Each structure stands twice: as C-alpha cells, then as structure tokens.
Amino acid sequence: MKFVSEKVEDTYAAASVLAEKLTGGEVILLEGRLGAGKTTFTKGLAAALGVKERVTSPTFTIMNEYDGGRLKLYHLDMYRIGGEDEVYELGLEEFLFGSGVTVIEWNKFVNLPERVYRVKIDCVSDSAREIEIL
C-alpha cells in the first residue's frame, strides 16, 4: 500500500489503515531518514489503537511503552544502539514475541517474528512524504 502525506493528518490516516490489520504480536519496522516522520507515523498508529497517552520519541530512552489502547504498544528507537549484541544485552527481544505491537525505528534485530510489516517513509519534498506499507 502506498500513501502520499502532505500533512500530519495524512500520515495518521496511513497509520490507521495499518492499525486496522493488527491483532497483536506484530512488529513494524519504520524506515526513513532523520526527520522523515517515523515518530509521527507511530503517533498516528497509537491514536488509531486508542492510546490516550502522549506519544514521544524514544531516542534517548530506547523504548516507550503505551497501555490503554486496543493493543499494548512498544516503541523502540535503536539509533543509539551499536549492534545486535547490545540489543540482546538490553533484553529488548522480549518485546518482539508478546501480544502487543512493537514499532522499531533504526532496527538492529536480525531474528524477527514472522508477522513483520515494513513501513518506508520517503521525503518527496519539504512538506510531502511517500509512505509505503509492505
């Protein structure tokens, strides 16, 4: 599925389409350069799942957890993680095989569960993004 986003609401709408498919146990890999809109997509996904908490980037905390929606949401940002060994030292793999949904920016995992979605976000211009859900 491909979407063109020219404003935040468009990104939320694309995330909502994916949220409708989620039943728990999925991993969503977000791909895109810095500032592409990965966290904005996660905010839209959280809203579509019914999360009421404010969703923020986990760049410095590595992982944020959100309850209160249809499914528990884990949001990981591995930008500052050196590699797969460090991921396992931190115990992050436990969030991959639960009943919630795990969203990962800058993935460092090699072994992922079967139910994985890839979301590519490309900047087409200063204000437009192309979002592809695979």
Side-chain angles (χ1 to χ4, degrees), residues 1 7 16 23 28 33 45 47 61 67 71 74 80 93-94 133:
M1 296 177 281
K7 55 188 183 243
S16 181
T23 58
I28 300 167
R33 68 172 178 78
L45 187 73
T61 59
D67 289 311
L71 298 166
Y74 303 99
R80 300 190 184 293
E93 73 278 359
E94 72 181 82
I133 301 173

Side-chain angles (χ1 to χ4, degrees), residues 69-80:
R70 180 170 63 82
L71 298 166
K72 185 173 253 188
L73 179 65
Y74 303 99
H75 182 195
L76 286 80
D77 185 327
M78 298 184 179
Y79 185 77
R80 300 190 184 293

Side-chain angles (χ1 to χ4, degrees), residues 56-93:
T56 60
S57 174
T59 299
F60 296 102
T61 59
I62 300 176
M63 198 266 308
N64 291 334
E65 183 177 332
Y66 301 98
D67 289 311
R70 180 170 63 82
L71 298 166
K72 185 173 253 188
L73 179 65
Y74 303 99
H75 182 195
L76 286 80
D77 185 327
M78 298 184 179
Y79 185 77
R80 300 190 184 293
I81 294 178
E84 186 182 19
D85 289 344
E86 190 175 344
V87 167
Y88 290 105
E89 286 174 20
L90 293 169
L92 297 176
E93 73 278 359

Side-chain angles (χ1 to χ4, degrees), residues 1 10 20 22 32 39 46 51 62 87 97 105 116 120 131:
M1 296 177 281
D10 295 339
E20 290 175 14
L22 303 175
T39 298
V51 171
I62 300 176
V87 167
F97 300 99
E105 298 183 34
V116 175
K120 294 180 173 184
I131 301 169

